[in-house]
Amino acid sequence: MSNNNHKRRNSLEFIVSMTVCPSDIDKVQQHIAIAEPARNPLRNVLVTPLFLYNGSLDRVRRMSEQGVSVYFDSGGYYVQIGRLKYEELYMPLLNAYKENPWADVYTLPDHVPTSQDSPAEVEQKIRDTITFSTLFFHELPDELKPRAMPVVQGHTLEQVEQCLQAYIDLGVQRVGFGSFGTSGAKQEINVATTSAVQLAKHVIDVAHAHGMKVHIFGIGTPALTAMLAGIGADSFDSSSWLKAAGFGQIFLPFMRAYNISHNSTVSELQRGITFEQFQQWRELTRHQCKLCESAVELQESKMHRAVHNLIALMETVDMLNHGEYDLIRAIYESGSPRYRQEFEKWLQPV
């Protein structure tokens, strides 16, 4: 039931990050057909054209022709994890964009700072991002310029302000934000630190004041979507649905991930859940898909878990957009203690 005592918010779009091979795209679509969700979760997808496997770009183009919105990512993530140098990104990316003028959004080349960078290194990456994004924008064909999305980077208010001013001057219609804390062996995992969330909110407030939409890069689990809605983001992308499945983890709307493959209590990350508890929470969250009706299939099939997770993320966003605040509050209160305050923190009544 809708609760009219809450702030009216822009609808939030979930962009499905798909760095997969052609056979995986087929498998995802096949499992969506088996799941019979309320709607197709592949309404918007994010792909990196420079790093797609052979044949995948053709498949994504066909999806675009069938009405799917396609976001092109720049490959900044691959620079972040050391796969190539930032300077090596520019010309191949420009050529890829020119050769594929059918996408809906084109991310400009950003140099992603990590939590391990020194202040001087972060400053240099911000300068790189502004300079090369601006040059890149001017080299894009005129037909693609309205679909360009430069990325705001920075660890300080002054740095994100520099990016914002440069992009306001370009006259773009949307910007991305990607400067979250990072963790992992290659600094490949984005972390929603308090300071980064505050910066993201500032970027959103300024961008909206100038008529620009804001996309949040690489943050997106069900438990964090209330935060994304609360700060006013327009869209976000996530590959968490697939990564979590690889670790044996499952999602439900607004809940943290739990390991369904084995009842592990070794670490907080791999905290296990029994199938009986999962079924209770499945009923509470009103999750509906045919992929999670069998404990054995959910435990043994990564693709069952992945597409189940994808549908759970879609349902999470749909609940927010439909204003089902009473249900959302009940889910948060029943879930992990860590997230019990998320509802009041981000979805405050007026």
Side-chain angles (χ1 to χ4, degrees):
M1 180 186 290
S2 220
N3 184 334
N4 294 324
N5 294 325
H6 290 263
K7 294 176 185 174
R8 181 88 180 159
R9 290 181 170 82
N10 298 334
S11 79
L12 180 65
E13 288 281 2
F14 168 39
I15 318 297
V16 182
S17 181
M18 297 188 77
T19 309
V20 291
C21 62
S23 63
D24 280 347
I25 294 176
D26 291 343
K27 285 177 191 170
V28 168
Q29 291 176 325
Q30 289 162 8
H31 280 73
I32 288 171
I34 295 167
E36 299 181 7
R39 66 174 178 82
N40 186 356
L42 295 183
R43 191 163 64 182
N44 313 287
V45 300
L46 174 101
V47 297
T48 308
L50 285 183
F51 292 93
L52 277 183
Y53 293 93
N54 290 336
S56 292
L57 198 55
D58 291 336
R59 275 175 169 73
V60 174
R61 180 171 186 164
R62 287 200 293 274
M63 290 167 70
S64 172
E65 290 167 352
Q66 292 162 4
V68 174
S69 292
V70 176
Y71 284 53
F72 275 171
D73 195 11
S74 67
Y77 168 77
Y78 293 93
V79 175
Q80 182 180 336
I81 63 172
R83 190 94 156 259
L84 80 166
K85 293 178 180 175
Y86 179 67
E87 298 75 22
E88 297 168 345
L89 191 61
Y90 191 100
M91 287 311 299
L93 187 68
L94 186 60
N95 291 333
Y97 284 2
K98 287 178 177 178
E99 290 164 8
N100 296 281
W102 45 267
D104 295 271
V105 175
Y106 292 80
T107 305
L108 303 188
D110 56 320
H111 204 174
V112 184
T114 73
S115 296
Q116 301 300 308
D117 290 337
S118 69
E121 287 171 325
V122 174
E123 194 66 44
Q124 182 59 52
K125 287 183 174 182
I126 306 313
R127 285 197 296 270
D128 288 346
T129 297
I130 293 170
T131 300
F132 290 107
S133 291
T134 302
L135 286 171
F136 196 98
F137 177 83
H138 289 303
E139 287 202 65
L140 275 177
D142 287 345
E143 64 172 310
L144 300 187
K145 285 186 171 76
R147 290 175 264 164
M149 180 171 69
V151 183
V152 175
Q153 296 287 7
H155 289 174
T156 69
L157 193 62
E158 183 182 10
Q159 288 166 347
V160 300
E161 285 281 359
Q162 288 171 8
C163 291
L164 280 166
Q165 190 55 59
Y167 305 155
I168 290 166
D169 292 345
L170 287 180
V172 295
Q173 296 176 14
R174 73 178 74 220
V175 297
F177 179 79
S179 277
F180 290 97
T182 55
S183 66
K186 294 184 177 179
Q187 298 296 303
E188 75 278 18
I189 302 167
N190 284 354
V191 182
T193 61
T194 302
S195 60
V197 171
Q198 289 171 344
L199 284 179
K201 186 176 187 314
H202 176 75
V203 168
I204 290 165
D205 291 344
V206 173
H208 284 178
H210 287 84
M212 299 187 295
K213 290 186 174 183
V214 180
H215 175 80
I216 302 294
F217 276 100
I219 289 281
T221 58
L224 287 176
T225 50
M227 178 272 288
L228 293 169
I231 62 176
D234 297 286
S235 59
F236 71 97
D237 70 86
S238 178
S239 59
S240 63
W241 58 281
L242 188 59
K243 288 179 181 175
F247 288 115
Q249 294 176 329
I250 49 160
F251 291 165
L252 280 168
F254 297 100
M255 289 192 160
R256 55 152 295 167
Y258 286 95
N259 194 300
I260 193 76
S261 295
H262 52 88
N263 193 13
S264 168
T265 54
V266 174
S267 70
E268 179 62 17
L269 176 66
Q270 289 290 6
R271 191 169 159 200
I273 184 176
T274 64
F275 192 66
E276 290 71 28
Q277 177 68 80
F278 170 72
Q279 290 288 67
Q280 289 175 22
W281 280 344
R282 184 175 183 248
E283 193 171 323
L284 168 69
T285 60
R286 300 180 190 170
H287 168 73
Q288 290 184 320
C289 86
K290 293 186 182 297
L291 294 173
C292 59
E293 293 177 348
S294 160
V296 173
E297 286 186 324
L298 203 56
Q299 288 167 345
E300 294 184 354
S301 168
K302 175 187 171 182
M303 198 53 72
H304 268 66
R305 292 191 299 274
V307 175
H308 157 84
N309 289 348
L310 179 58
I311 292 166
L313 254 173
M314 176 195 74
E315 290 171 339
T316 303
V317 173
D318 285 350
M319 276 187 219
L320 279 166
N321 290 338
H322 295 149
E324 297 179 44
Y325 297 115
D326 293 339
L327 176 56
I328 295 169
R329 178 190 271 116
I331 295 169
Y332 271 126
E333 288 176 354
S334 300
S336 167
R338 179 181 170 192
Y339 292 113
R340 275 184 194 149
Q341 302 306 313
E342 288 294 292
F343 180 89
E344 302 303 336
K345 185 176 179 183
W346 298 112
L347 300 174
Q348 317 95 324
V350 172

